[in-house]
């Protein structure tokens, strides 16, 4: 058993609509996710000559080993791609509930390549993964999009990563947002998302929990860390 991993990397090709999965253990024995595995995936799949906004470029979302556990501050996701601003590796982080929700859905990473013919969003609901039409969402801001997606899916608990008009129009420093105050604000990751005509990624609260070798010990340590934070240590 691979502890602390949800178990799968979700691979999405928006050009042909192909959705596949790969075991996280293909990488987790050598690289610590999310930034570690994201870096390996970017290095292997995006050679220097590929433009940041090319359909061949990859956009990566990766959670860390402690994501989805009770450890304080662990609900983080690393968003990575070749940066349209620098032409080098771009990376930025998002906090909030959504990163843990991806882990609960059974996925440690999402790797997205290609370019959709029209605006789309991803719907992740445990084993159910769909590429859905987002034409009605295109042009909407990042406050409105999560509300509309939750209404469409009839689920108020759905968490959403999304872009606004800046990402759609390829403003080179556009962000990826997830809830009020949570966003990947560095290196133009929203621009890469917009170049793929990917408006949003929506995730249901899945049934999976990352396996722990000693749940009681992790819970105890998490409480100690939380108390230390409260006491300003």
């Amino acid at each position: 058993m691979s502890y602390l991993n949800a178990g799968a990397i979700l691979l999405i090709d928006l050009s042909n609509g192909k959705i596949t999965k790969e075991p996280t253990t293909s990488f987790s024995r050598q690289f610590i996710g999310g930034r570690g595995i994201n870096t390996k995936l970017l290095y292997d799949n995006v050679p220097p000559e590929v433009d940041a906004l090319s359909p061949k470029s990859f956009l990566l979302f990766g959670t860390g080993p402690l994501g989805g556990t009770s450890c304080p501050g662990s609900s983080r996701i690393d968003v990575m791609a070749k940066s349209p601003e620098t032409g080098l590796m771009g990376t930025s982080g998002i906090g909030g509930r959504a990163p843990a929700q991806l882990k609960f859905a059974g996925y440690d990473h999402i790797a997205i390549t290609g370019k959709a013919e029209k605006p789309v969003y991803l719907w992740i609901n445990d084993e159910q993964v769909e590429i859905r039409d987002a034409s009605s969402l295109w042009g909407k801001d990042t406050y409105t999009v999560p509300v509309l997606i939750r209404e469409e899916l009839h689920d108020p608990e759905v968490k959403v990563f999304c872009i606004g008009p800046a990402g759609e129009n390829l403003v080179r420093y556009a962000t990826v947002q997830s809830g009020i105050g949570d966003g990947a604000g560095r290196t133009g990751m929203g621009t890469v998302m917009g170049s793929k005509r990917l408006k949003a990624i929506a995730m249901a609260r899945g049934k999976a929990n990352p396996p722990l070798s000693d749940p009681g010990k992790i819970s105890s340590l998490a409480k100690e860390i939380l108390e230390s934070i409260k006491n300003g240590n």
Side-chain angles (χ1 to χ4, degrees), residues 137-158:
L137 303 175
W138 205 249
K140 301 290 194 302
D141 62 44
T142 57
Y143 298 99
T144 305
V145 168
V147 174
L148 294 176
I149 288 177
R150 290 172 189 135
E151 289 176 352
E152 179 179 322
L153 297 172
H154 307 291
D155 186 347
E157 297 303 317
V158 165

Side-chain angles (χ1 to χ4, degrees), residues 7 33 41 66 87 102 130 164 176 204 206 212 221:
L41 290 168
L66 295 177
L102 178 64
E130 299 177 9
V176 180
L212 309 176
L221 288 172

